[in-house]
Amino acid sequence: MGGPERLTHLDASFLYLERASMPMHAGGVSILDPSTRPDGRLPFEDVRRMLAARIHLAPRLRQRVLEVPLGIARPVWVDDERFDLDFHLRRAALPAPGGRAELADAVGRALSEPLDRTRPLWELYLFEGLEGGLAAALLKVHHAMADGVSVMRVAQAMFDLDPEPRDPGEPEPWRPAPPPTAAGLLGDALLQ
């Protein structure tokens, strides 16, 4: 078999249909209550540390799309050899009073920006300053990357769904697989 995983027809169609005026990503907002944590706070670094320790649960989060030369086959998923978790994490403070209107404006601005196709197709925004001491997390994921099952894996990687918080421990070591060569991509496409 060999070679990287090819995007499905449906997933590739989301890439092909995307235009500046019609982004093909989706977003989901989660409201977080830091008062349930032992210290009552949700430091951004804790969010980063948790995701770094759990990202192995959703390997697609470290993969990017690679086009096949001459467009003779659907693109493939490859490990992003330049993967930088900090590129995908965004932090913003909502303006006072931090209500629904301010959150909706911030989410709308974040969703209006296209995802960088040279990197894994997702971003996580943490909005601080929501009224009542709450915070909000916006997960923005390209449709090419996220079907129902993969979104659940991403949620599992990002959120602790148990009432008792768990220490994520240290991140697992990760080495990206080298991307295929153009000749390898062409050869694989011709064999399919």
Side-chain angles (χ1 to χ4, degrees):
M1 174 159 153
E5 181 184 351
R6 192 166 305 286
L7 273 71
T8 67
H9 291 283
L10 180 60
D11 293 342
S13 70
F14 289 126
L15 289 176
Y16 302 148
L17 292 170
E18 187 167 48
R19 303 287 178 269
S21 61
M22 188 173 69
M24 297 302 283
H25 55 255
V29 177
S30 300
I31 304 298
L32 309 173
D33 184 357
S35 72
T36 62
R37 291 174 45 103
D39 63 0
R41 298 176 39 247
L42 182 59
F44 183 74
E45 186 50 41
D46 283 3
V47 173
R48 187 199 181 289
R49 189 171 57 87
M50 182 73 67
L51 185 54
R54 293 181 175 185
I55 199 164
H56 69 279
L57 298 172
R60 187 73 77 223
L61 293 175
R62 293 190 286 211
Q63 292 183 322
R64 64 182 175 87
V65 172
L66 181 62
E67 298 286 340
V68 175
L70 307 174
I72 65 170
R74 294 184 316 278
V76 296
W77 292 108
V78 297
D79 288 345
D80 183 7
E81 62 280 1
R82 301 178 305 137
F83 181 75
D84 177 6
L85 180 60
D86 293 322
F87 175 83
H88 297 276
L89 300 178
R90 313 292 163 88
R91 179 182 188 186
L94 294 176
R100 286 179 178 239
E102 290 80 16
L103 178 59
D105 287 346
V107 167
R109 280 191 303 279
L111 289 175
S112 70
E113 294 296 321
L115 289 163
D116 182 346
R117 288 228 197 153
T118 67
R119 297 180 177 265
L121 297 172
W122 67 276
E123 296 171 350
L124 178 71
Y125 293 77
L126 181 65
F127 296 108
E128 299 167 324
L130 196 56
E131 63 188 352
L134 303 175
L138 165 65
L139 176 60
K140 178 175 156 182
V141 181
H142 201 285
H143 278 294
M145 174 181 161
D147 61 20
V149 173
S150 61
V151 167
M152 290 307 297
R153 284 192 191 116
V154 169
Q156 180 184 17
M158 294 186 171
F159 297 108
D160 197 347
L161 302 178
D162 296 323
E164 292 298 317
R166 293 177 289 159
D167 182 351
E170 291 299 313
E172 288 192 2
W174 179 72
R175 293 193 70 172
T181 63
L185 285 170
L186 286 168
D188 187 52
L190 292 173
L191 293 175
Q192 298 221 355

